[in-house]
Amino acid sequence: MTLPDHAIVSVPATTTNIGPGFDCLGAALSLRNHFTFTRLDQSIEPVQISVSGLEAARVKTNETNLAYQAFAKLFQHLKQSPPLIKLEIRLGVPLARGLGSSATAIVGGLVGANVLAGSPLSEAELVAIAVDMEGHPDNVVPAMLGGCRLAATDLNGEWAIAPVPWHSEIVPVVAIPDFELSTAEARRVLPAAYSRPDAVFNMGHLGLLLRGLDTAHSDWLRAALQDRIHQPYRRSLILGFDAVEAATVAAGAYGLVISGAGPTLLALAHADIAPLVAEAMKAAWEDQGISVQAQALHLDPTGVSVQV
């Protein structure tokens, strides 16, 4: 069999947790990173990496690059040596902002490697390796599969992944500030254990959120975005959170949540007012002296895509 020597992999950004869905619920969004893998006959280095686009200068261009680590991980899984490659990365997802930039690298590297290896692994096998690398499923699963996804393990410890219906009238609006918040820092502030009332609170609100996303029932959505697992502890790490939240609600959004580990904030709004909500989020943060990009996006239905 002749193996492909070229693959262009496009991976969407993601927003995760979405209030009460901590570490299990995520959705793919209409921002993308692109990874082009080209097999080389000879090279001084195992990989030649070039990066363009948003914050390109901050991305590593050696073997520690996360996309290349994922690429090599797949060949390690196959018990093969990775081929010499050129990797070209074009960035459209902000780094370290809670929009799944690391997940795009993991998924891009794994899928690119699988193509160059002749596609020996199934989608489910790729998802399992991606979750193992990321440590939790909420970013890599929608990045791989698209749409909104709920992930949990079955009785055998395998991932059971359910698509979550998302009503077309519900628009995700993101406000991306010009400061970062590391996932490690955002996890450090979380408690080691939770009370039974807090656990029950989140279970009920996650169920309500799933129904709200399916139906666009405004009262359900406004109630469902509450959380007691991560947001009460993380909001203090995000300068201006209270002001943005108040402005978002005043503009008519269903509510405001932290996207992933932050600091990007996600509002859910009816399509008719989504642009107004974006303007309100931007103005509120700028009043705090913080530069911000705010925009209404849409759900990405396809997930990872490949051109050979």
Side-chain angles (χ1 to χ4, degrees):
M1 179 180 69
T2 301
L3 297 175
D5 60 8
H6 186 80
I8 301 173
V9 183
S10 176
V11 190
T14 52
T15 185
T16 61
N17 302 327
I18 315 178
F22 182 66
D23 273 6
C24 63
L25 182 68
L29 299 177
S30 51
L31 300 171
R32 281 184 171 259
N33 284 341
H34 304 269
F35 306 86
T36 300
F37 300 85
T38 304
R39 192 189 306 271
L40 299 176
D41 292 331
Q42 56 184 1
S43 174
I44 298 173
E45 302 292 337
V47 59
Q48 300 175 12
I49 301 176
S50 62
V51 187
S52 62
L54 294 172
E55 304 171 294
R58 300 181 52 219
V59 177
K60 296 176 181 177
T61 56
N62 55 29
E63 292 176 67
T64 64
N65 178 280
L66 183 56
Y68 181 73
Q69 288 183 331
F71 181 90
K73 174 82 170 181
L74 184 129
F75 280 95
Q76 180 184 10
H77 178 83
L78 297 175
K79 296 181 171 52
Q80 299 176 17
S81 297
L84 304 175
I85 62 162
K86 177 173 68 173
L87 170 56
E88 300 165 273
I89 302 173
R90 180 159 53 91
L91 299 174
V93 180
L95 301 174
R97 298 295 204 283
L99 288 170
S101 59
S102 63
T104 70
I106 290 171
V107 170
L110 291 174
V111 171
N114 195 49
V115 171
L116 264 60
S119 301
L121 298 187
S122 67
E123 184 176 80
E125 290 171 314
L126 291 172
V127 166
I129 299 173
V131 174
D132 182 63
M133 288 191 69
E134 179 81 349
H136 41 87
D138 51 342
N139 272 310
V140 294
V141 166
M144 185 82 74
L145 304 178
C148 185
R149 303 279 172 166
L150 182 65
T153 51
D154 64 16
L155 294 175
N156 298 315
E158 304 295 328
W159 287 105
I161 298 168
V164 174
W166 184 296
H167 199 285
S168 61
E169 291 179 356
I170 302 172
V171 173
V173 183
V174 296
I176 309 166
D178 66 353
F179 62 88
E180 296 181 11
L181 177 58
S182 76
T183 301
E185 181 181 2
R187 287 190 176 270
R188 271 196 298 270
V189 300
L190 301 182
Y194 297 92
S195 68
R196 180 185 297 171
D198 284 351
V200 171
F201 181 95
N202 264 56
M203 285 190 291
H205 283 75
L206 177 56
L208 189 61
L209 176 59
L210 299 179
R211 293 292 297 129
L213 289 173
D214 185 19
T215 62
H217 192 296
S218 58
D219 291 341
W220 292 352
L221 286 167
R222 288 189 176 94
L225 292 172
Q226 299 177 76
D227 158 76
R228 292 184 183 175
I229 298 297
H230 68 109
Q231 293 188 135
Y233 308 97
R234 289 173 165 172
R235 61 189 293 157
S236 63
L237 301 176
I238 301 174
L239 182 65
F241 182 98
D242 292 345
V244 179
E245 182 179 47
T248 302
V249 173
Y254 301 123
L256 182 78
V257 296
I258 300 170
S259 179
T264 291
L265 299 181
L266 168 76
L268 297 185
H270 190 280
D272 292 344
I273 63 166
L276 297 177
V277 170
E279 291 175 9
M281 296 171 76
K282 180 177 175 66
W285 237 331
E286 288 179 342
D287 285 346
Q288 304 291 312
I290 297 169
S291 178
V292 60
Q293 297 179 16
Q295 56 186 312
L297 300 175
H298 61 262
L299 217 63
D300 181 286
T302 57
V304 67
S305 64
V306 180
Q307 292 177 273
V308 179

